[in-house]
């Protein structure tokens, strides 16, 4: 099933992302959370570690995230 999963990156790690979007993505077996992005490097790194997600970035713009093309 892994090949058919939709790959997501969550950009902006405020309350809604952490309490609603990320849990919904992780509950759905058809989705895969591949990374998180936030303006705060510390927040992105801590959340990625807590979730076991390999990719994280601190960015002011999505154009700054080199691995974002890996997301669907």
């Amino acid at each position: 099933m892994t090949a058919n999963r939709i790959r997501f990156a969550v950009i902006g790690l405020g309350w809604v992302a952490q309490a609603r979007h990320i849990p919904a993505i992780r509950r759905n077996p058809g989705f895969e959370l591949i990374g998180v992005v936030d303006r705060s490097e510390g927040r992105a790194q801590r959340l990625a570690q807590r979730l076991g997600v390999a990719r994280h970035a601190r960015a002011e713009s999505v154009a700054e995230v080199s691995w974002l093309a890996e997301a669907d």
Side-chain angles (χ1 to χ4, degrees):
M1 169 116 181
T2 305
N4 297 327
R5 294 171 78 179
I6 298 171
R7 296 167 298 187
F8 283 89
V10 174
I11 301 169
L13 302 176
W15 182 87
V16 173
Q18 291 188 47
R20 300 288 188 233
H21 298 156
I22 292 172
I25 291 167
R26 295 187 66 181
R27 277 193 307 268
N28 189 316
F31 297 161
E32 178 183 4
L33 181 62
I34 65 164
V36 293
V37 180
D38 196 77
R39 288 182 174 168
S40 166
E41 172 62 30
R43 182 182 297 160
Q45 184 177 17
R46 284 189 305 274
L47 188 58
Q49 284 180 324
R50 192 176 87 214
L51 298 174
V53 175
R55 300 231 185 243
H56 63 86
R58 184 247 165 251
E60 292 291 327
S61 165
V62 295
E64 298 174 29
V65 184
S66 62
W67 53 263
L68 197 55
E70 296 174 23
D72 295 317

